[in-house]
């Protein structure tokens, strides 16, 4: 690979990569020779960014390539086209994204890497297009890896995903247009809401990866998400309960119930939790989970059920359901998951719930 660097300048690859990617969208399909050239160009870009066993990457050459990648708007085109690439090139794209979005020159004063600043403040369509990678099994996992990397560090990325309302080929919602304290109710048509069908209807590997990103999005930047869920409570939980918690997929169902319990028990989501456990319909869904024939669904459902019972300020509908079902619950709970004898916390919590139900007063009028 060393000869590659000797025979070709290392920093002139963004423009030819862009031109070749644009040709991907033309018909008829790319000739094999042109596709091979694109594969080679993306591979060369990756090698420049990460170096080889024989030669370390040059900070100056990396900086030049990163800057030209920004100037050519190549990141958007990569995100948009990744599903059309051969398997190895999709992996190269993932690596290119990771290196470009992390790179920051040693003498820069900016707190953000330049490419990251670019997509957050000027080109949010890159973030939205990475999300839309879940619409295709070919692009789901490489796009998911990149999304989770940037979600972990940048609250702005989460805000763009949550509040974007754009459709295909439309300008994405910019960060300057997002004010969580003043934002209107969501329409349910933005890119965030597509995660529900991607999780429910995608192939197993797509669904699993989409849920992993969905979970990262909802648990990483707590104050941002708490405000979003509080404002869009009814729309979010109507879809969450009907599509995910009641999913026909065991994996989706179990993961969704577990995440629901985590969200409700997170201190940052206190207002969301109190609103959720006021609903008698939510309690009915939860009690149905306790009777599921799969023990792990029962177990995760228990951790949501306990929030309703332990709430000292139960709403009248919740009190009515618990009191009307008290005798059945008191017969059911003592033998519920009785084989988990080594799980002391579970056994203690179950005993506590039994005492709480026993001591409840009459049905409120």
């Amino acid at each position: 690979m060393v000869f590659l660097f000797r025979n070709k300048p290392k920093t002139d690859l963004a423009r030819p990569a862009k031109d070749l990617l644009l040709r991907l969208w033309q018909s008829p399909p790319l000739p094999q020779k042109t596709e091979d050239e694109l594969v080679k160009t993306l591979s060369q870009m990756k090698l420049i960014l990460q170096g080889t066993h024989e030669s370390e990457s040059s900070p100056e050459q990396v900086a030049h390539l990163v800057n030209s990648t920004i100037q050519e708007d190549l990141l958007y085109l990569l995100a948009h086209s990744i599903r059309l690439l051969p398997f190895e090139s999709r992996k190269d794209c993932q690596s290119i994204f990771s290196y470009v979005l992390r790179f920051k020159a040693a003498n820069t004063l900016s707190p953000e890497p330049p490419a990251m600043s670019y997509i957050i403040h000027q080109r949010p369509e890159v973030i939205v297009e990475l999300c839309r990678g879940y619409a295709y099994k070919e692009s789901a996992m490489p796009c998911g890896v990149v999304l989770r990397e940037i979600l972990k560090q940048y609250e702005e990325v989460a805000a763009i995903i949550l509040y974007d309302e754009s459709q295909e080929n439309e300008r994405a919602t910019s960060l300057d247009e997002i004010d969580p304290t003043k934002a209107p109710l969501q329409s349910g048509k933005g890119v965030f809401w597509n995660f529900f069908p991607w999780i429910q209807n995608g192939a197993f590997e797509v669904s699993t990866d989409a849920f992993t990103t969905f979970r990262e999005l909802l648990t990483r930047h707590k104050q941002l998400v708490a405000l979003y869920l509080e404002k869009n409570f009814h729309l979010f939980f109507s879809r969450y309960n009907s599509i995910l918690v009641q999913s026909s997929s065991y994996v989706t169902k179990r993961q969704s119930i577990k995440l629901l319990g985590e969200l409700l028990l997170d201190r940052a989501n206190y207002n969301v939790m109190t609103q959720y456990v006021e609903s008698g319909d939510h309690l009915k869904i939860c009690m149905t989970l306790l009777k599921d024939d799969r023990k792990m669904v029962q177990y995760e459902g228990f951790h949501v059920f306990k929030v309703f019972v332990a709430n000292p300020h139960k709403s009248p509908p919740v009190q009515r359901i618990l009191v009307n079902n008290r005798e059945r619950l008191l017969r059911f709970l003592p033998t519920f998951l009785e084989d988990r004898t080594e799980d002391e916390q579970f056994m203690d919590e179950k005993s506590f719930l039994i005492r709480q139900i026993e001591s409840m007063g009459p049905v409120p009028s």
Side-chain angles (χ1 to χ4, degrees), residues 230-268:
E230 192 173 348
K231 180 165 285 190
N232 298 284
F233 180 90
H234 295 291
L235 178 60
F236 176 82
F237 283 107
S238 66
R239 295 197 185 183
Y240 195 97
N241 286 330
S242 63
I243 298 175
L244 301 184
V245 171
Q246 300 182 77
S247 171
S248 58
S249 163
Y250 167 70
V251 174
T252 298
K253 189 183 191 79
R254 178 185 168 186
Q255 288 181 323
S256 301
I257 302 165
K258 182 177 182 179
L259 176 58
L260 175 60
E262 293 174 8
L263 290 173
L264 296 180
L265 291 171
D266 193 311
R267 191 182 301 270

Side-chain angles (χ1 to χ4, degrees), residues 8 32 45 51 80 84 99 101 116 188 227 230 319 341 351:
K8 186 178 181 69
Q32 187 62 48
M45 290 183 66
H80 185 57
L84 303 178
Y99 280 95
L101 293 177
M116 200 67 232
L227 188 58
E230 192 173 348
Q319 291 184 57
T341 53
S351 298

Side-chain angles (χ1 to χ4, degrees), residues 59-60 62-64 66-67 100 102-110 112-115:
E60 294 79 10
V62 171
H64 191 93
V66 169
N67 289 335
V100 169
R102 288 201 311 265
F103 177 78
K104 186 167 65 170
N107 58 352
T108 184
L109 298 177
S110 172
E112 296 172 347

